[in-house]
Amino acid sequence: MTAVNKAGERIEELIAHLRPRADGTVAAGDPAATAEELVRLLVGLYGDGLAAILGILAAHGPAGQQMIDELAGDPLIEGLLLLHDLHPLDADARVQRALDRVRPYLGSHAGGVQYLGISGGVARLRLEGSCHGCPSSTVTVRLAIEGAVLDAAPEVSEVVVEGMTAAPEPALLQIGRRPADASSSAAAGGTGDPASPGNTASTDGWVTLPALGPPSSRPVTTTAGDATVLVCAVRGTLYAYTDACAGCGSSLAEGRLDREELTCPSCGARYNVRLAGQGLDDKALHLNPLPLLSDSHGVRVALPEAARV
């Protein structure tokens, strides 16, 4: 009996154990433990399959390696390879590649980003030059770098950026995985008083958006100050942009959102909303990202001064 057949039989047994009987009862035992074993078997089975596929491709020399590189470049497949510790690139190479992807889309918000390495789960980078004009610039740089690094290297627990311009609300700008209680006032850098300096658009550049409702598979537009903001949800994470296609200037409100890929309804231009709005067809095009925070005071974006009320 092959390993696949053996695993398949055990999976069928576990499913039958969880399935209600004709009289509505279930088999004795711990359902949670049964479900955990079922998940482990399924994940392990598919992980072994991915490893075998990579092994076959690697045996075909440069042509096979090229296919492996193409597979690792697909966001969905890359996530599966990371899950099973099968990614062909080490953490340093993945972080460098992620920074290369996001660097052009920081535009005037940042100068060079130098990667210093990972130690003890902490990725360290140095920023050489940054925009000093508004608080949103600092947040844009931090959030773009943080998102790129943490997506590329899940084993990283914190991102530290040296050389960053001091910001008026350092607690809002702390980089690292957001704790489960991200809605607390402490995590938001405020006092809990909506009128406090840490929570008002007039003093810190942050504007609270109207209620957006639950995350949707379609982009949502809303107003913030004098600006129209486009909000996209990707795997439960919200991303905000100025609502204007970089190619034709039209609204993206009716655009199609397929995971992180947003398509303009007017000209068909495609953008990756998870990677700072980079263009997928024309690398010279990219959306204008807006820093976004979701906390006990709602969903807030940082806007340039001219766009605030």
Side-chain angles (χ1 to χ4, degrees):
M1 179 181 293
T2 67
V4 173
N5 290 337
K6 186 176 180 179
E9 287 189 358
R10 181 55 181 161
I11 289 171
E12 289 294 335
E13 292 175 2
L14 294 171
I15 292 175
H17 196 76
L18 292 172
R19 186 179 294 120
R21 297 168 178 166
D23 61 0
T25 62
V26 296
D30 184 355
T34 301
E36 288 176 4
E37 183 183 353
L38 177 60
V39 171
R40 282 197 302 270
L41 277 172
L42 288 171
V43 171
L45 184 62
Y46 286 105
D48 291 343
L50 281 172
I53 291 172
L54 294 181
I56 294 172
L57 290 174
H60 284 74
Q65 186 58 51
Q66 181 179 355
M67 293 188 68
I68 292 175
D69 293 340
E70 291 179 7
L71 290 171
D74 180 89
L76 177 60
I77 298 176
E78 182 176 43
L80 292 174
L81 295 176
L82 288 172
L83 175 65
H84 295 284
D85 197 22
L86 294 171
H87 202 287
L89 301 179
D90 61 21
D92 289 326
R94 281 183 269 124
V95 171
Q96 289 279 24
R97 186 180 65 172
L99 291 175
D100 288 341
R101 288 174 175 173
V102 78
R103 188 179 285 111
Y105 306 101
L106 296 178
S108 62
H109 290 296
V113 180
Q114 181 183 2
Y115 174 58
L116 304 179
I118 299 173
S119 177
V122 178
R124 298 186 179 277
L125 305 98
R126 179 179 296 119
L127 190 67
E128 300 170 348
S130 63
C131 177
H132 300 271
C134 61
S136 65
S137 297
T138 299
V139 186
T140 297
V141 172
R142 284 183 177 270
L143 295 185
I145 292 174
E146 176 193 22
V149 172
L150 295 180
D151 282 344
E155 57 266 55
V156 170
S157 58
E158 185 180 2
V159 181
V160 175
V161 183
E162 301 176 4
M164 184 67 70
T165 302
E169 283 190 30
L172 280 170
L173 308 178
Q174 182 178 356
I175 288 185
R177 295 197 184 280
R178 191 176 295 278
D181 187 18
S183 62
S184 66
S185 294
T191 63
D193 178 4
S196 68
N199 301 316
T200 60
S202 60
T203 58
D204 63 12
W206 292 89
V207 177
T208 301
L209 301 180
L212 298 173
S216 170
S217 59
R218 297 185 61 84
V220 176
T221 55
T222 186
T223 57
D226 292 334
T228 301
V229 176
L230 182 85
V231 180
C232 300
V234 179
R235 301 184 183 93
T237 300
L238 298 179
Y239 300 88
Y241 293 90
T242 300
D243 182 29
C245 173
C248 65
S250 61
S251 171
L252 295 166
E254 299 300 322
R256 180 168 57 87
L257 183 62
D258 182 8
R259 294 198 294 270
E260 64 268 16
E261 181 181 303
L262 175 63
T263 302
C264 175
S266 298
C267 68
R270 299 181 304 139
Y271 305 94
N272 189 318
V273 298
R274 188 174 57 87
L275 295 180
Q278 68 179 38
L280 296 177
D281 303 305
D282 184 347
K283 298 301 182 183
L285 299 178
H286 64 88
L287 302 178
N288 180 38
L290 298 172
L292 179 149
L293 289 174
S294 180
D295 52 37
S296 60
H297 304 290
V299 177
R300 298 186 288 165
V301 295
L303 298 175
E305 186 173 357
R308 301 175 210 156
V309 174

